[in-house]
């Protein structure tokens, strides 16, 4: 199992200068400049595709062929969520206000609280794979470190014991989880623009359920919702998991400079333009974590510069193919949960951790 001990403690002025050199190279190449044309085209095409999907949805009416449109909308919702992610990192416009406004709109389309997600994702970027401070490691049904095993009991202990085999099935619940977490955050007043987000989420639920049950009979409508939300969750999980799961974790005892903290905990996914599109640019996880505000369209150009820079400075740079990264994730989950699958005592009770 990969643990925090795999990351050396480095935090000095030389390390800061090292990142400054890389940042200077990236700026010199113009890779932090806004890409207005790129995003204008991407957003326009995405919204046109959404409109076309809605027309098809209404035209099909009460038909089991609607399950095909459910698959289509699952993929489209993920693409819209990627645009919201880009807005959250100020990749689209120069000002935070403009990015937040369009990000909130994208969140409303897919039924997510933009404010809740921003808070969670900002903490993740500040402490990627930190065993205590990264919220993406805090998933009740799973364990990403051996230290998390001691907190598991009952049904959660069982899911953790079999987490490698259950990983992809559990992702079908990710879409519902994203909706519910946003609703809870808005209800508790944990977001900045509570009234706006509450109104937008209520509108999403009303329009979504109203359209589904007005156009289709209850059996078809329920099947549509299950396929749409389930596959959207799988798509989202499969897009975010490759970036960090199975990579080294660390604690406060490990002193890391910014460059190594972001690079050593992240993994890139190799592939052509289709992988860039399918994963929304998250396949360049290392470059994205080093330069979060870099427009998605520039990540491919930045990748060889960052890779070569890391090679010259002896910094491990992890990347593999799309299917290879899922093997790493599943192997890590299996290794972490191994103590829970150890031989049981004669009484049938599981041994202590």
């Amino acid at each position: 199992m990969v643990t925090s001990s795999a990351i050396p403690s480095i935090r000095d002025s030389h390390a800061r200068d090292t990142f400054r050199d890389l940042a200077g190279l990236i700026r010199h190449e113009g890779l932090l400049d806004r890409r207005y044309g790129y995003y204008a085209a991407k957003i326009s095409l995405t919204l046109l595709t959404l409109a076309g999907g809605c027309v098809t949805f209404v035209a099909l009416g009460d038909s089991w062929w609607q399950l095909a449109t459910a698959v289509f909308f699952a993929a489209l919702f993920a693409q819209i969520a990627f645009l919201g992610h880009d807005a959250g990192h100020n990749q689209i416009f120069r000002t935070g206000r403009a990015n937040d406004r369009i990000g909130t709109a994208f969140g409303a389309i897919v039924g997510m609280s933009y404010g809740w997600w921003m808070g969670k994702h900002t903490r993740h970027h500040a402490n990627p794979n930190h065993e205590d401070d990264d919220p993406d490691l805090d998933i009740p049904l799973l364990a990403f470190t051996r230290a998390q095993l001691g907190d598991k009991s009952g049904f959660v202990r069982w899911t953790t014991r079999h987490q490698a085999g259950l990983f992809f099935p559990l992702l079908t619940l990710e879409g519902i989880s994203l909706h519910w977490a946003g609703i809870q955050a808005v209800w508790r007043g944990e977001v900045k623009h509570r009234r706006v987000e509450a109104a937008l989420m209520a509108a999403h639920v009303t329009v979504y359920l109203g359209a589904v049950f007005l156009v289709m009979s209850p059996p078809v409508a329920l099947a549509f919702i299950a396929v749409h939300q389930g596959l959207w969750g799988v798509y989202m999980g499969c897009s975010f998991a490759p970036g960090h799961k199975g990579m080294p974790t660390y604690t406060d005892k490990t002193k890391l400079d910014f460059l190594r903290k972001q690079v050593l905990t992240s993994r890139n996914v190799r592939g052509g333009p289709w992988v860039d599109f399918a994963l929304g640019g998250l396949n360049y996880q290392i470059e994205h974590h080093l330069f979060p505000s870099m427009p998605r369209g520039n990540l491919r150009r930045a990748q060889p510069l960052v890779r070569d820079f890391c090679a010259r400075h002896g910094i491990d740079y992890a990347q593999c193919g799309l299917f290879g990264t899922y093997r790493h994730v599943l192997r890590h989950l299996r290794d972490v949960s191994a103590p829970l699958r150890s031989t049981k005592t004669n009484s049938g009770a599981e041994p202590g951790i």
Side-chain angles (χ1 to χ4, degrees), residues 191-210:
V191 297
K192 185 176 180 180
H193 303 290
R194 183 184 184 185
R195 292 183 178 179
V196 173
E197 294 230 44
L200 290 174
M201 295 189 74
H204 171 86
V205 172
T206 301
V207 173
Y208 181 84
L209 294 181

Side-chain angles (χ1 to χ4, degrees), residues 26 43 59 83 154 281 285:
I26 293 297
I43 292 171
L83 288 171
Q285 194 69 203

Side-chain angles (χ1 to χ4, degrees), residues 125-176:
H125 267 262
N127 300 283
N129 270 19
H130 189 289
E131 294 182 14
D132 299 314
D133 297 333
D134 184 355
D136 287 359
L137 290 183
D138 185 17
I139 300 177
L141 295 178
L142 303 173
F144 296 105
T145 68
R146 290 280 175 87
Q148 292 179 330
L149 296 179
D151 298 329
K152 310 297 183 181
S153 62
F155 175 72
V156 172
R157 189 178 180 88
W158 180 85
T159 61
T160 304
R161 190 197 324 167
H162 303 287
Q163 62 183 4
L166 293 174
F167 179 68
F168 288 109
L170 286 174
L171 288 182
T172 60
L173 303 176
E174 178 65 12
I176 299 300

Side-chain angles (χ1 to χ4, degrees), residues 301-343:
R301 291 171 53 201
Q303 191 271 335
L305 299 178
V306 174
R307 181 196 59 206
D308 293 345
F309 186 92
C310 288
R312 290 197 302 272
H313 290 82
I315 302 172
D316 290 339
Y317 184 99
Q319 60 179 337
C320 62
L322 181 59
F323 296 107
T325 192
Y326 295 129
R327 286 196 295 270
H328 283 299
V329 172
L330 296 178
R331 185 181 301 117
H332 177 72
L333 291 174
R334 185 164 53 248
D335 290 345
V336 168
S337 60
L340 298 183
R341 299 191 304 278
S342 59
T343 304

Side-chain angles (χ1 to χ4, degrees), residues 97-145:
R97 177 177 293 183
N99 280 293
D100 286 343
R101 285 176 175 174
I102 195 169
T104 300
F106 289 137
I109 292 174
V110 300
M112 286 178 58
S113 166
Y114 175 78
W116 162 79
W117 177 83
M118 274 291 294
K120 174 178 178 291
H121 198 61
T122 299
R123 296 197 305 275
H124 160 70
H125 267 262
N127 300 283
N129 270 19
H130 189 289
E131 294 182 14
D132 299 314
D133 297 333
D134 184 355
D136 287 359
L137 290 183
D138 185 17
I139 300 177
L141 295 178
L142 303 173
F144 296 105
T145 68

